[in-house]
């Protein structure tokens, strides 16, 4: 759906109000056809100003702004506005007009015949999953969420390719808000619309956007896809806006188990004696040993308790080997494994390659390191447990991922 055909181009745009109040400065931004652009930033950072210059509700005081390749001043302001849908928080609907009249306001201004307008309204109300009978109601007879659905519908009614939305869901409860986010995203994709959406909610931006524009003090701080933004936040301001929790999660989203595992875990082969096992445990100061065959294939583990209990009766590691062991593959994403590791209360988990050969272990300590690295960078790690020490028995061992 997304092509690289520019629809709106900001070229060094500024907006200075009378009295010298600088709302927006040096904004350079390309919005491609099919983009879902989210402008995000703190209050007063210039999001609304940036958006309103697109349909000439506000005039830039510097720079060039192009729509469909032509300077916006080559369009008649009213004509331009009608080419562009606009959804705002609350104020959307005219209270004295029916839902039908509200939806077909712009088509009427565009002088569509009555029959075509009626058809369009019927089609759109179905699209947003509201009963056709609502067309004859007044806005006050609908819930907040339903009204905002109509607000979205109205922006689609005149077949405008570009839709501007200024914090449209800010006043809605979380469930209604989520439903409307999904609606807007699916309509945007299905109908191939281009959307510019102002929000101060990072979750909303990450969920909806193909391109996120972070603003602060009238400047663009970073323009990036959601994935890029999470991976490489440009400044501390962007990091703060994203928040620690999401950064940690994002790090886990792209990091494999193999990337953080500790290599060279303490292991023993099944044919070795229990004396050897005990000596190895003492030397490496661990209370479990992973057991591998001569080719390094993971066979299970032994622990100090079974050694104690069976010392008299057994002679070799294979006699007390516990083959039930939870393990993970080195190519697995941490995202998919962290939860399981933490939920099982394991202090470490063995990591195997595609041939089931033991490659390393992932310890809780390594996970803690990862989290601190993500938040504070490589230095200033708090003291962690000795990461090389394997000091717990895998609980509830079952086959791994
Ligand atoms: P946002 O939408 O990010 O909250 P705005 O674009 O509304 O921010 O405002 C950006 C800056 O421009 C703010 O400092 C605001 O006070 C200022 N501003 C907005 N409208 C006007 C105006 N009509 N006159 C003077 N300053 C304005
Ligand atoms: Mg605003």
């Amino acid at each position: 759906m997304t092509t690289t055909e520019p629809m709106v181009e900001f070229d060094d745009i500024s907006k200075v109000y009378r009295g010298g109040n600088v709302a927006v400065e040096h904004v350079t931004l390309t919005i491609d056809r099919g983009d879902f652009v989210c402008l995000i930033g703190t209050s007063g950072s210039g999001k609304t100003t940036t958006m309103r210059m697109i349909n000439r509700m506000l005039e830039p005081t510097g720079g060039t702004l192009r729509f469909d390749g032509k300077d916006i001043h080559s369009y008649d302001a009213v004509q331009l506005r009608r080419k562009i849908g606009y959804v705002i928080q609350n104020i959307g609907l005219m209270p004295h007009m029916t839902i039908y009249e509200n939806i077909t306001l712009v088509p009427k201004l565009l002088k569509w015949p009555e029959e075509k307008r009626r058809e369009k309204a019927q089609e759109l109300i179905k699209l947003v999953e509201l009963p056709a009978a609502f067309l004859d109601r007044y806005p006050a007879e609908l819930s907040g969420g339903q009204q905002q659905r109509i607000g979205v519908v109205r922006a689609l009614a005149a077949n405008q390719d570009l839709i501007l939305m200024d914090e449209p869901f800010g006043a809605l409860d979380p469930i209604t808000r989520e439903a409307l986010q999904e609606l807007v995203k699916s309509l945007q994709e299905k109908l191939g619309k281009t959307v510019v959406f102002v929000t101060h909610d990072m979750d909303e931006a990450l969920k909806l956007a193909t391109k996120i524009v972070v603003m602060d003090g009238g400047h663009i701080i970073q323009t990036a896809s959601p994935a890029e933004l999470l991976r490489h936040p440009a400044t501390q301001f962007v990091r703060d806006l994203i928040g620690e929790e999401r950064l940690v999660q994002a790090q886990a989203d792209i990091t494999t188990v193999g990337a953080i595992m500790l290599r060279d875990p303490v292991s023993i082969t099944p044919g070795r004696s229990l004396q050897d096992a005990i000596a190895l445990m003492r030397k490496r100061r661990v209370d479990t040993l992973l057991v591998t065959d001569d080719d390094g294939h993971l066979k299970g583990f032994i622990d100090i308790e079974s050694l104690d209990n069976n010392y008299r009766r057994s002679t070799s590691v294979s006699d007390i080997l516990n083959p039930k062991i939870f393990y993970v593959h080195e190519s697995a994403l941490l995202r998919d494994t962290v939860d399981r590791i933490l939920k099982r209360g394991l202090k470490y988990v063995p990591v195997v390659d595609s041939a089931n050969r033991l490659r390393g272990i992932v310890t809780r300590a390594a996970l803690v390191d990862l989290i601190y690295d993500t938040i504070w960078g490589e230095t200033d790690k708090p003291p962690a447990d000795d990461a090389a020490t394997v000091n717990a028995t895998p609980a509830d061992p079952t086959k791994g991922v």
Side-chain angles (χ1 to χ4, degrees):
M1 192 56 76
T2 306
T3 66
T4 48
E5 195 185 326
M7 186 171 217
V8 179
E9 294 160 279
F10 286 80
D11 191 353
D12 200 21
I13 287 290
S14 298
K15 173 67 179 176
V16 182
Y17 285 104
R18 252 165 297 158
N21 194 355
V22 180
V24 162
E25 209 176 20
H26 302 308
V27 162
T28 296
L29 171 69
T30 301
I31 297 165
D32 289 324
R33 216 163 256 284
D35 263 347
F36 198 121
V37 174
C38 282
L39 304 177
I40 187 164
T42 46
S43 178
S45 57
K47 307 180 295 292
T48 296
T49 302
T50 299
M51 191 164 91
R52 288 191 173 177
M53 287 190 284
I54 297 172
N55 66 355
R56 290 184 68 185
M57 288 167 84
L58 293 172
E59 296 288 345
T61 49
T64 312
L65 188 47
R66 285 181 293 273
F67 181 82
D68 272 341
K70 282 180 288 184
D71 192 304
I72 48 161
H73 291 102
S74 65
Y75 296 89
D76 172 72
V78 175
Q79 295 295 328
L80 183 72
R81 220 158 292 150
R82 287 179 188 169
K83 280 166 146 337
I84 299 172
Y86 195 59
V87 184
I88 44 173
Q89 189 179 315
N90 298 329
I91 320 166
L93 305 179
M94 307 285 183
H96 56 282
M97 291 185 181
T98 64
I99 298 303
Y100 170 72
E101 288 165 337
N102 265 289
I103 292 177
T104 56
L105 192 60
V106 176
K108 194 174 176 188
L109 290 172
L110 295 173
K111 300 190 167 53
W112 289 20
E114 164 78 28
E115 197 183 324
K116 190 176 167 193
R117 274 184 275 152
R118 180 65 54 194
E119 233 166 64
K120 191 73 189 174
Q122 302 274 4
E123 172 200 322
L124 288 170
I125 199 122
K126 220 178 281 168
L127 205 59
V128 293
E129 291 152 15
L130 290 176
F134 276 26
L135 289 174
D136 299 321
R137 292 201 191 172
Y138 287 89
E141 298 172 293
L142 271 58
S143 75
Q146 289 167 342
Q147 287 183 38
Q148 203 53 312
R149 268 173 202 264
I150 300 298
V152 171
V153 160
R154 193 180 55 174
L156 298 169
N159 296 335
Q160 292 129 326
D161 292 338
L162 177 63
I163 298 169
L164 310 180
M165 305 181 95
D166 196 347
E167 309 209 27
F169 310 142
L172 302 176
D173 64 87
I175 292 171
T176 308
R177 185 182 182 131
E178 206 163 301
L180 274 159
Q181 286 168 350
E182 265 148 40
L183 173 75
V184 161
K185 185 71 184 167
S186 77
L187 289 176
Q188 183 256 340
E189 285 172 353
K190 194 155 58 185
L191 305 175
K193 301 286 179 186
T194 308
V195 175
V196 181
F197 190 108
V198 169
T199 182
H200 58 258
D201 175 350
M202 185 52 89
D203 281 322
E204 188 164 72
L206 291 170
K207 186 168 174 183
L208 296 176
T210 57
K211 196 183 263 180
I212 296 178
V213 179
V214 180
M215 297 193 70
D216 186 28
H219 292 258
I220 292 180
I221 306 298
Q222 185 169 14
T223 302
S225 70
E228 280 163 19
L229 196 78
L230 288 167
R231 233 169 282 169
H232 306 294
T235 65
Q236 190 56 43
F237 177 79
V238 180
R239 297 178 76 88
D240 290 344
L241 209 59
I242 297 169
E244 288 167 12
E245 209 176 296
R246 288 195 206 87
L247 285 171
V248 170
Q249 189 54 49
Q251 197 59 42
D253 282 353
I254 56 166
T255 306
T256 61
V257 169
I260 67 145
M261 72 184 176
L262 298 160
R263 288 161 200 282
D264 208 12
V266 187
S267 68
I268 194 164
T269 50
R272 302 279 289 279
S273 70
L274 295 188
Q275 284 94 324
D276 287 348
I278 289 167
L280 184 59
M281 281 182 171
R282 285 221 179 98
K283 183 168 161 233
R284 301 290 296 266
R285 297 211 252 128
V286 296
D287 60 10
T288 67
L289 292 175
L290 295 168
V291 180
T292 60
D293 66 15
D294 291 338
D295 298 323
H297 298 105
L298 183 64
K299 291 297 173 192
F301 70 97
I302 60 173
D303 60 24
I304 195 81
E305 286 100 71
S306 52
L307 255 171
D308 279 348
N309 296 341
N310 297 289
Y311 192 63
R312 279 170 225 287
R313 276 172 279 145
S314 312
T315 53
S316 74
V317 166
S318 60
D319 295 331
I320 60 164
L321 171 70
N322 186 341
K324 289 188 182 165
I325 188 162
F326 174 77
Y327 59 85
V328 293
H329 281 286
E330 61 183 347
S331 60
L333 291 173
L334 272 182
R335 172 185 67 198
D336 304 329
T337 45
V338 158
D339 262 13
R340 253 175 295 178
I341 292 171
L342 296 182
K343 267 196 201 111
R344 282 165 189 268
L346 305 176
K347 289 219 176 119
Y348 79 96
V349 170
V351 180
V352 298
D353 65 14
S354 53
N356 218 40
R357 278 183 301 248
L358 179 64
R359 303 274 295 148
I361 56 168
V362 177
T363 65
R364 237 172 221 274
L367 292 178
V368 169
D369 279 358
L370 172 87
I371 289 168
Y372 282 110
D373 283 352
T374 307
I375 298 170
W376 289 297
E378 296 298 321
T379 54
D380 296 338
K381 261 178 228 170
D385 293 347
D386 178 8
T389 305
V390 174
N391 54 6
T393 308
D396 182 26
T398 46
K399 283 290 172 186
V401 285

